[in-house]
Amino acid sequence: MIYVLHGEDSFSATEALREVLDAVGPEDVRASNVSEIEAREFSVDKLAAAAMVVPFLADRRAVVVRGLMGTAEAGPRRGGRQRQDGSQARPPAELTALLAELPPTSDVVFFEGKLSPANPFLKAVAGTEGAQVRVREFVPLRRDALAAWVSERAAQKGGTVDGRTASMLAEQIGPNLWVMDSELEKLTIYCDGRPIGEDDVKALVSSTKDANVFALVDAIMEGRSGAALTTMRQLLDEGAAGPYLLTMVARQARLVALAQELLARKAPPPEWPARLGTSSDFVVRKTMEQARRFSPEAVRALYRLLLETDLALKSGTSDELALTEMLAGASALPAARAGR
């Protein structure tokens, strides 16, 4: 069997690879029956030496080829690798001939990042005559699908999470399943048999601080000093030091400025996550909302206020006093504008 596992969701792809390797046989015989070949050291002869032999005291053999197809993706940003003559890597004819002759007890897995449909390796391998080929693309989960995954994953770990809490986790952590799985592991252990609730997420999941920072930036730029002071004290009580808190607010001000630039030049929404440097739907959505609500003048004024607060902290002013003075100064910020 030939597998092509590719896509941006490396967590799900890794789990699919683990299923193939589990089929090799008991763990104590896998070392003798599983081979891995990196793209930089790949050759058809090396693949043949690993795949064209019978399993040793096991049910199957498996050969994992990592990153080979990605060498044919266009351009260095896609991981492409050019030859000295400037051409992209192409699949050798001997490769498909070998794959067509694989023993029925051998599996070959091409483990890749995101591939384009026109990838020459992908097309050649998928079209191998006389061979069983399974191509699976793993795309990031979004919203309802991600919330459903959260509920299922929590159940696998022996925990339970209601739909509202699952949606909260999906929105705040986003489609990075490596992070989500780690947070669910932590929450399941912490809750110790009882259902995972929203308060547990707020207490343990670090990304909830992003939500509080959004609330703090909103309150500062809208001149709601009371709400800003309450949020600031909550963050300080949770262990956020003054310089860290200032850095988080400055980071969000920078993201808002970038988002305003994207809106000004009418950049398409698919570009927004990469330009803002985040894969979180929650962060992108909240940042774009703030970019629409606040004027560029307000963002520049906030930057000046942050600089003054930074100097105060470095001169020895206590965290709480410096931040309180910053919130008092926020009343001079230009007013929020109507959304557009």
Side-chain angles (χ1 to χ4, degrees):
M1 186 74 173
I2 302 164
Y3 299 88
V4 180
L5 308 178
H6 75 102
E8 295 178 68
D9 179 8
S10 61
F11 183 91
S12 297
T14 299
E15 291 211 320
L17 173 61
R18 188 177 296 120
E19 291 176 7
V20 175
L21 299 185
D22 285 345
V24 167
E27 190 171 352
D28 56 351
V29 301
R30 286 182 203 160
S32 302
N33 293 282
V34 175
S35 302
E36 298 215 9
I37 305 174
E38 297 289 338
R40 63 180 179 274
E41 59 188 28
F42 176 85
S43 71
V44 174
D45 287 343
K46 185 170 291 189
L47 176 59
M52 302 298 285
V53 292
V54 297
F56 178 70
L57 300 177
D59 299 323
R60 309 189 65 77
R61 288 189 62 83
V63 184
V64 183
V65 182
R66 294 183 181 269
L68 178 66
M69 294 183 175
T71 63
E73 292 291 301
R77 290 185 62 187
R78 299 293 305 276
R81 183 178 65 191
Q82 290 187 331
R83 296 190 176 93
Q84 291 182 349
D85 63 3
S87 64
Q88 293 296 123
R90 309 289 297 181
E94 296 87 350
L95 175 60
T96 52
L98 172 66
L99 295 176
E101 297 175 359
L102 282 179
T105 53
S106 288
D107 296 318
V108 173
V109 184
F110 293 92
F111 192 82
E112 306 287 334
K114 180 176 174 58
L115 300 175
S116 67
N119 184 287
F121 276 94
L122 178 60
K123 293 170 69 175
V125 171
T128 302
E129 293 186 12
Q132 288 185 300
V133 183
R134 187 178 183 189
V135 178
R136 296 182 64 185
E137 180 178 5
F138 298 90
V139 298
L141 299 176
R142 303 291 180 186
R143 295 182 181 175
D144 292 347
L146 180 56
W149 186 93
V150 169
S151 297
E152 293 172 6
R153 195 71 177 184
Q156 291 175 18
K157 295 177 180 293
T160 56
V161 57
D162 62 37
R164 185 182 179 91
T165 304
S167 296
M168 179 183 183
L169 281 165
E171 183 177 21
Q172 295 195 15
I173 294 177
N176 187 330
L177 299 188
W178 294 102
V179 174
M180 186 71 80
D181 184 71
S182 176
E183 295 293 350
L184 284 173
E185 185 76 22
K186 182 169 60 178
L187 285 163
T188 302
I189 294 171
Y190 176 76
C191 292
D192 193 23
R194 64 176 175 79
I196 299 168
E198 292 182 47
D199 288 341
D200 302 312
V201 174
K202 292 175 182 176
L204 268 72
V205 177
S206 58
S207 62
T208 58
K209 288 188 172 59
D210 284 338
N212 287 334
V213 170
F214 280 119
L216 179 58
V217 172
D218 278 345
I220 290 172
M221 298 183 73
E222 291 171 358
R224 295 184 288 110
S225 55
L229 185 61
T230 299
T231 304
M232 182 200 73
R233 285 178 173 163
Q234 177 186 350
L235 288 163
L236 289 173
D237 289 344
E238 291 173 356
Y244 166 79
L245 192 53
L246 191 67
T247 299
M248 292 297 289
V249 175
R251 169 183 173 271
Q252 186 56 28
R254 174 181 171 276
L255 289 178
V256 172
L258 286 173
Q260 288 177 339
E261 178 187 344
L262 293 174
L263 291 173
R265 66 178 184 83
K266 295 182 169 59
E271 286 186 15
W272 295 352
R275 291 297 305 274
L276 295 175
T278 179
S279 61
S280 168
D281 290 340
F282 173 74
V283 173
V284 171
R285 179 170 57 80
K286 292 295 291 182
T287 299
M288 300 310 290
E289 286 176 3
Q290 289 181 333
R292 292 184 177 96
R293 291 212 320 275
F294 304 128
S295 67
E297 293 76 19
V299 177
R300 286 194 290 270
L302 177 58
Y303 262 116
R304 288 193 293 271
L305 193 57
L306 292 170
L307 176 59
E308 293 170 3
T309 307
D310 183 49
L311 293 173
L313 287 170
K314 290 175 178 176
S315 66
T317 305
S318 71
D319 290 0
E320 187 166 359
L321 178 58
L323 293 172
T324 301
E325 290 179 347
M326 177 188 76
L327 299 183
S331 59
L333 292 176
R337 63 185 176 186
R340 58 186 173 96

